[in-house]
Amino acid sequence: MHLIDLKAFLSELSDNNNRAWFVMNKPRYDILRAEFLLLVAELIQGIQKFDPAVTGCDPKKSLFRINRDVRFAADKSPYKTTFSASILPSGRKKPSEGGGPAYYFQIDAEGRLFFACGEYMPPSDRLFAIRQHILHDPEGFDLVLKNKKLQQQFGALQEEGKLTRPPKGFAADARHIEYIKLKNFMVWTESDLKTMDSKQVIATLLTAFKSALPLVQWLRTG
């Protein structure tokens, strides 16, 4: 994939986020999306070597649309300024729909590669199930938290949107209560694309995703 061309397109789209510009540049978008689809397909092939659960995952179903849902948004810009994909066995694009833990990455207009693993904003029933899983499998959760490769690659679980008090039904002195307060169960980081080509992007993502496998597998058992 031509990452320079993708960054240029996304940067120009960021400055001209309107339908007229997009229609004029639709041929560029179609080429870049086709290339991105091939990158995702190759990535899935790499992931299935250490996580067979994603075998057969359709790359087309992994890609997010570039159109934004602006129905309830203050920002009415019609297009996203990222190319992104979410890879998980169910083929769902959004783990928040109940699809379980995912391997996610995006490339933005600034030339950044953002990548994450786990579950972002799971629905209430799934969130409750994860919290129960922590309560009933504290030793297994400990192994995830203490995994050295996961820590080296991503650091700790993200605490964005963490509750200030224990959720209803969970005791304040419960083991791992600070993690039970989380609303997301994921790790993420980012890299600069300036010195990377598509092969290096895939290699970077595969290394990172493999390091997050203990978290992904633990979440699947909950």
Side-chain angles (χ1 to χ4, degrees), residues 45-60:
Q45 290 178 356
I47 294 173
Q48 69 186 30
K49 292 178 180 178
F50 57 82
D51 186 1
V54 304
T55 301
C57 182
D58 186 348
K60 290 183 179 179

Side-chain angles (χ1 to χ4, degrees), residues 9-23 25 66-70 75-82 109:
F9 174 84
L10 293 174
S11 180
E12 291 173 39
L13 176 59
S14 182
D15 293 334
N16 304 275
N17 202 325
N18 59 77
R19 188 174 183 279
W21 184 92
F22 189 83
V23 170
N25 289 272
I66 199 166
N67 302 78
R68 295 181 64 244
D69 183 353
V70 300
D75 178 9
K76 298 300 182 181
S77 301
Y79 304 106
K80 300 171 187 174
T81 54
T82 61

Side-chain angles (χ1 to χ4, degrees), residues 105-108 110-116 153-154 158 187-193 196 204-205 208:
F105 78 102
Q106 70 178 37
I107 295 172
D108 68 16
E110 303 300 322
R112 290 187 297 257
L113 173 66
F114 172 96
F115 42 106
Q153 181 68 60
F154 291 102
Q158 296 302 309
V187 290
W188 69 268
T189 189
E190 61 183 23
S191 296
D192 194 326
L193 283 173
M196 302 172 70
T204 297
L205 291 174

Side-chain angles (χ1 to χ4, degrees), residues 184-202:
N184 306 300
F185 291 87
M186 57 176 291
V187 290
W188 69 268
T189 189
E190 61 183 23
S191 296
D192 194 326
L193 283 173
K194 288 181 181 178
T195 60
M196 302 172 70
D197 58 25
S198 60
K199 293 296 182 183
Q200 290 170 315
V201 167
I202 290 174

Side-chain angles (χ1 to χ4, degrees), residues 99-164:
Y103 302 100
Y104 174 86
F105 78 102
Q106 70 178 37
I107 295 172
D108 68 16
E110 303 300 322
R112 290 187 297 257
L113 173 66
F114 172 96
F115 42 106
C117 293
E119 298 190 45
Y120 176 72
M121 296 297 288
S124 58
D125 57 340
R126 176 59 185 155
L127 181 58
F128 180 76
I130 296 172
R131 288 168 170 166
Q132 285 286 331
H133 191 29
I134 294 174
L135 203 61
H136 296 141
D137 184 28
E139 290 80 12
F141 189 60
D142 269 331
L143 291 176
V144 173
L145 297 176
K146 296 176 181 178
N147 186 278
K148 290 184 178 180
K149 289 184 178 180
L150 180 66
Q151 290 180 344
Q152 290 170 356
Q153 181 68 60
F154 291 102
L157 289 176
Q158 296 302 309
E159 298 193 5
E160 180 184 355
K162 182 179 178 179
L163 298 175
T164 56

